[in-house]
Amino acid sequence: MPKRAICGTLPSNKVTIRFYPILFAQNCLTGWIHKPAYAHNGLSFPSSIKSDPLPKPMIPQANNQSTTMTGTSITEMAPAKVNLYLRICGRRDDGYHLLDSAVIFTAFGDQISLTPAATDSLTITGSFATALTNIADNPIVTRPMANSPAAPNLCMQALTAFRDAGGVMPPVAITLDKRIPVGAGLGGGSADAAAMLRALNAHADKSVTPETLHALATRLGADVPACLRAHALRMTGIGDQISSLSASMSLSPAPDAHAFMVLANPLIPLATKDVFAHLHSDGQGSAGDIDTLDISGLVGLGNDLEATACTLVPEIASLLSLLRQQHGCQIAAMSGSGASCFALFDSQPASQQACVALRKSGIWAEATHSL
């Protein structure tokens, strides 16, 4: 997962970053001050991180739009991404691994709000606001954009890239409500960048073409193009080749029913690069024709990164075992490169009951459903 740089902190779980043209690069290197105590023994749950109450609110689905407006503010949802399966299909000469993966998006995710302002700023709120800067005692740095002297948060990277590509957007105050765990294999940073691009292009004084928007997403990260579309997709290549899934996304015979699931995480950050660095297998290769598989069948195709991730973070294996023990659980697996896991359930009540049980055990968990 890409790394991010956060500049400056406020008390509690709120971080504000203001961007000024001359001092921007310097300020983005100032780092952070406060570091909460993360308990990493077993599957312990940091007391400073709060789970959202059940049931979860639904993302607006009318006309497949996730953008809402209140007064002069724009709100865009950034749904969490779940890799139903992930196959390694080889490696390119430049070191990038080729993959084959089916992804879906959930009604749980981050939220981004844009408000007209005198100067650009970014305020990060939510359960994981401070976590963006508190992994491994170092500020998290995103992959820098080309010709960029600094590496701001992906939301600001998206704003800068949008303007550089010809989009016209006046100064905005950005609020990122960070609810997806950081470094979790749920595409949080990529989802945020994609949500920014969608909101900007929908409400800018001058928008860019869909082709340009896709190109910007590709520059921001391998998962951003998929997150830009935010519906069931198959990713191949290095993740840059995407196509819509025709497989049924439900465990129910009702055609419009959602797949109910629980997302869970041991809250131990796991860098994607570390998983690939320790990968000693060529993988299972392409999954081939998947059009006849339902969502449970897709999960059954496996995740070639799971064994390596469990070696690096044994708590992942313990979490998967616990998920499989929950009443109504159909199948459980790790998402992406970890450390987040997910389980599919045969009903919404079963998923909510499992979520409550996991939280009582001190585990971060969210009951949600597929979009």
Side-chain angles (χ1 to χ4, degrees):
M1 182 175 179
K3 295 182 176 181
R4 287 167 291 286
I6 303 300
C7 315
T9 58
L10 288 179
S12 186
N13 61 344
K14 189 172 183 178
V15 181
T16 296
I17 313 164
R18 297 193 181 277
F19 296 84
Y20 299 91
I22 298 177
L23 300 179
F24 174 72
Q26 178 180 351
N27 290 345
C28 277
L29 300 177
T30 56
W32 58 278
I33 299 175
H34 172 64
K35 182 178 191 305
Y38 268 55
H40 285 173
N41 53 328
L43 292 176
S44 55
F45 183 74
S47 59
S48 60
I49 302 295
K50 304 296 183 183
S51 293
D52 295 303
L54 293 174
K56 300 301 303 166
M58 306 276 285
I59 289 181
Q61 291 299 298
N63 300 320
N64 198 31
Q65 297 296 316
S66 57
T67 307
T68 58
M69 293 191 66
T70 304
T72 58
S73 294
I74 303 163
T75 298
E76 180 76 17
M77 296 301 297
K81 173 184 68 67
V82 173
N83 293 82
L84 298 179
Y85 75 86
L86 194 157
R87 296 283 193 91
I88 302 299
C89 304
R91 191 172 184 175
R92 301 194 318 190
D93 293 339
D94 60 7
Y96 282 93
H97 284 81
L98 300 172
L99 57 86
D100 176 13
S101 182
V103 300
I104 59 172
F105 294 84
T106 75
F108 166 77
D110 294 341
Q111 180 173 288
I112 292 175
S113 299
L114 308 180
T115 305
T119 186
D120 293 333
S121 66
L122 172 62
T123 299
I124 305 178
T125 62
S127 301
F128 293 94
T130 54
L132 283 174
T133 54
N134 293 338
I135 292 179
D137 296 328
N138 291 306
I140 307 173
V141 181
T142 52
R143 183 180 69 177
M145 299 292 291
N147 303 318
S148 174
N153 176 277
L154 273 172
C155 291
M156 288 307 303
Q157 287 199 41
L159 177 60
T160 300
F162 180 79
R163 288 171 174 160
D164 289 346
V168 177
M169 188 72 180
V172 289
I174 306 165
T175 299
L176 169 59
D177 183 17
K178 193 64 187 170
R179 301 168 65 202
I180 302 175
V182 178
L186 296 175
S190 297
D192 297 341
M196 274 293 297
L197 290 177
R198 286 195 302 269
L200 290 170
N201 216 38
H203 301 282
D205 291 347
K206 179 183 177 182
S207 60
V208 299
T209 66
E211 294 76 16
T212 298
L213 203 67
H214 178 82
L216 295 178
T218 301
R219 288 183 60 202
L220 288 166
D223 282 347
V224 182
C227 292
L228 188 64
R229 296 173 65 173
H231 61 79
L233 299 167
R234 187 176 189 177
M235 304 170 59
T236 54
I238 60 172
D240 57 334
Q241 301 172 24
I242 54 179
S243 58
S244 295
L245 274 181
S246 58
S248 170
M249 289 294 101
S250 174
L251 292 176
S252 166
D256 296 327
H258 299 288
F260 300 108
M261 66 183 71
V262 169
L263 307 178
N265 189 287
L267 292 180
I268 301 177
L270 180 58
T272 299
K273 64 179 180 63
D274 292 339
V275 176
F276 277 101
H278 290 82
L279 188 65
H280 301 297
S281 170
D282 293 333
Q284 303 180 70
S286 172
D289 184 6
I290 61 173
D291 288 346
T292 61
L293 298 177
D294 63 8
I295 187 171
S296 185
L298 292 173
V299 177
L301 293 174
N303 185 334
D304 287 347
L305 301 180
E306 187 175 302
T308 300
C310 288
T311 299
L312 296 173
V313 180
E315 290 83 356
I316 296 175
S318 300
L319 180 54
L320 285 170
S321 177
L322 186 59
L323 284 168
R324 290 164 182 150
Q325 295 171 23
Q326 302 305 306
H327 174 72
C329 176
Q330 302 296 299
I331 193 168
M334 187 184 79
S335 177
S337 59
S340 289
C341 301
F342 66 97
L344 303 178
F345 287 82
D346 54 15
S347 68
Q348 185 175 33
S351 67
Q352 293 180 338
Q353 291 169 10
C355 182
V356 171
L358 264 64
R359 289 180 179 180
K360 287 181 178 179
S361 297
I363 297 169
W364 180 88
E366 291 290 343
T368 185
H369 61 76
S370 61
L371 294 180

